[in-house]
Amino acid sequence: MDSSNLQGDARMPFPPSLWAAIGGEAVHAPALAASMRCDVVVVGAGYTGLSTALHLAEGGASVCVLDAAQPGWGASGRNGGQVIPGLKYDPDQLRVMFGTAVADPLIGAIGTAADTVFELIKRHGIACDALRNGWIQPTHSVKTMRALESRARQWRAEGAHAQMMDAAEVARHIGTQAYVGGWKDHRAGSIHPLKYCRGLARAAAGLGAAIHGDTRVVRLERREGGWRVHTKGGPHIDAGRVVIATNGYSDHLWPMLRQSVIAANSFIVATRPLPDELAASILPGREVASDSRRLLLYYRRDAQGRLLMGGRGPFRDPRGPEDFIHLERSVELLFPQLKGVQYEYRWAGRVAITRDFLPHVHEPAPGLSIALGYNGRGIAMSSTMGRCLAQRLLGQAGTRFPFPVSTIHPIPFHGLQRFYIAAGVAWYSVLDRFS
């Protein structure tokens, strides 16, 4: 069963029975009960934090992960399960933006980001319905096909297995006549997001990492030789280094961090398992798909045969099934054969969007690292970010940190972010129609 039915107020904990149903074997991280000392404290038990902790523990560091809720409670347990490498920008664009010396290591990291996920799954035996059958990016626009041809050509030059698809091929692979063509990236795949997150937590704990849930960090205090991390419950941790990995659920722990991203909701619906005759007509090769529109739709079939459809939604957290009707309509528009299909689950999670659509890494004080802002590519990118951050903190010889380090820049008038999103949705809708 997919990470599902996670709807309502994102600040409220979910019943243990529901979490057991949606995520397989539960990982209950106890609250921090006593003060302690370690090498590194990681704030946030999502993909970034857990990947960082796992790789730090593999490198011999003592590490403690603290989360205000439980591992995978945020977007790491509430996403669409698509493991897609790359970023919004193609390799040639990144070289123009940063220059070859900076861009080439970045391109190497983002191009192999899906490898990181599937290698972790294999190495640690994580049971998460992993499937690596590729990603299809279809388009409604003949004009956009030229951009997709360039994208596929650039990634082939980087060694990726990428192929163009005409309208007939897209229809055969996806099961809809809605597109004029597209391309397929064979590096990509899918997972059950919450099972993967819990698997990372178990693997990190098995290597000696301490993981504590229900432990909100309320203050970071700079001290001689490191940091003191204060928690709401009272206990503190002394550590040489701190990593903040709270992404779209960042709060006021560090000045201006929350204001540096737009935390937008991504909404997802899941049908009941489809009958065999219908399942055979939709994504029969079990690829994942997301279209080329600015207000994109993304979809896949899960291990139980459900169709999952994701896309934009209201800025606020969902209040009921009516907030998901636009996605259900999209299902019937793309796949008329599913008219009248019943829906089993509806949920939402917050995506951290940056102004430049790039992941951000900050080091605003000695011994403090912050990483966030994956702009919808969180599974692959955050898993890779965690590995790279751990290598940086461990000072591993022969490794180069591939992500540019920047200062924190708050988005102007951040308190109006719901209006940013509403205006952006309206504008992108116009652009999508004309493209």
Side-chain angles (χ1 to χ4, degrees):
M1 189 174 296
D2 223 290
S3 82
S4 46
N5 217 23
L6 303 186
Q7 60 188 70
D9 191 336
R11 296 168 297 181
M12 298 297 292
F14 302 114
S17 59
L18 174 60
W19 270 61
I22 66 175
E25 183 182 351
V27 173
H28 180 73
L32 181 67
S35 297
M36 58 177 288
R37 180 181 295 275
C38 64
D39 295 329
V40 184
V41 172
V42 177
V43 183
Y47 299 141
T48 303
L50 292 171
S51 177
T52 302
L54 190 159
H55 288 96
L56 283 170
E58 283 184 325
S62 61
V63 57
C64 181
V65 182
L66 304 177
D67 196 280
Q70 286 289 317
W73 178 91
S76 293
R78 305 192 222 174
N79 61 76
Q82 299 197 8
V83 185
I84 303 174
L87 296 170
K88 172 184 173 66
Y89 303 105
D90 298 325
D92 289 354
Q93 293 172 290
L94 291 171
R95 290 190 174 99
V96 170
M97 293 166 65
F98 294 107
T100 301
V102 174
D104 281 354
L106 176 62
I107 292 165
I110 66 175
T112 57
D115 295 342
T116 301
V117 174
F118 292 105
E119 287 168 2
L120 283 170
I121 291 168
K122 181 178 180 180
R123 187 162 79 244
H124 297 285
I126 299 174
C128 59
D129 304 332
L131 194 63
R132 198 170 189 181
N133 286 6
W135 165 57
I136 299 173
Q137 186 180 31
T139 182
H140 299 84
S141 165
V142 174
K143 179 180 178 181
T144 305
M145 276 292 289
R146 292 194 292 272
L148 298 187
E149 289 168 357
S150 175
R151 176 167 297 154
R153 182 173 62 252
Q154 290 177 50
W155 279 115
R156 277 197 298 268
E158 303 297 329
H161 183 187
Q163 69 179 92
M164 293 304 299
M165 307 173 74
D166 61 21
E169 289 176 299
V170 168
R172 185 167 62 252
H173 280 79
I174 294 182
T176 177
Q177 303 292 326
Y179 301 111
V180 301
W183 76 294
K184 180 176 178 178
D185 186 339
H186 290 260
R187 298 171 294 178
S190 62
I191 58 167
H192 184 300
L194 183 55
K195 288 181 181 179
Y196 172 62
C197 194
R198 287 174 164 176
L200 290 178
R202 279 190 289 269
L207 290 167
I211 302 176
H212 294 283
D214 303 321
T215 305
R216 179 175 294 279
V217 176
V218 294
R219 186 164 62 93
L220 302 179
E221 179 189 357
R222 184 84 176 108
R223 296 169 67 88
E224 184 176 354
W227 294 85
R228 175 161 289 181
V229 178
H230 297 267
T231 69
K232 185 177 180 179
H236 65 262
I237 302 179
D238 291 321
R241 296 179 179 271
V242 174
V243 174
I244 298 178
T246 47
N247 205 40
Y249 293 84
S250 297
D251 56 17
H252 301 287
L253 180 61
W254 192 259
M256 296 294 104
L257 181 63
R258 179 174 174 269
Q259 289 80 11
S260 70
V261 297
I262 298 293
N265 258 324
S266 186
F267 283 46
I268 304 172
V269 297
T271 69
R272 290 187 175 181
L274 300 176
D276 291 344
E277 63 273 15
L278 285 177
S281 72
I282 298 172
L283 294 168
R286 297 287 300 281
E287 299 97 340
V288 302
S290 57
D291 62 37
S292 64
R293 291 179 295 187
R294 296 166 181 85
L295 297 177
L296 62 82
L297 294 171
Y298 57 92
Y299 44 94
R300 69 178 179 94
R301 283 172 47 208
D302 72 4
Q304 289 72 37
R306 302 178 184 87
L307 177 68
L308 279 61
M309 176 67 71
R312 65 172 178 81
F315 176 79
R316 59 170 172 76
D317 294 313
R319 296 170 180 166
E322 64 278 2
D323 287 326
F324 298 84
I325 289 175
H326 63 292
L327 291 176
E328 296 170 14
R329 289 173 178 160
S330 295
V331 169
E332 293 192 7
L333 286 172
L334 273 181
F335 304 107
Q337 63 268 46
L338 295 185
K339 186 175 179 59
V341 70
Q342 293 184 309
Y343 292 87
E344 194 167 15
Y345 299 104
R346 302 171 178 90
W347 70 96
R350 291 204 172 271
V351 178
I353 301 173
T354 58
R355 292 178 70 185
D356 55 10
F357 298 103
L358 291 167
H360 286 183
V361 179
H362 309 299
E363 294 178 343
L368 175 62
S369 301
I370 302 171
L372 77 172
Y374 305 109
N375 299 281
R377 298 285 180 95
I379 299 176
M381 291 310 308
S382 58
S383 299
T384 298
M385 180 67 77
R387 173 176 58 80
C388 294
L389 274 177
Q391 291 171 343
R392 184 172 177 82
L393 296 180
L394 292 168
Q396 292 182 347
T399 62
R400 175 179 176 179
F401 190 66
F403 297 94
V405 178
S406 62
T407 56
I408 299 173
H409 291 294
I411 296 172
F413 307 106
H414 185 270
L416 301 176
Q417 60 179 316
R418 65 182 63 243
F419 298 106
Y420 277 118
I421 293 174
V425 166
W427 175 240
Y428 285 154
S429 295
V430 171
L431 293 179
D432 284 333
R433 289 194 193 99
F434 283 99
S435 64

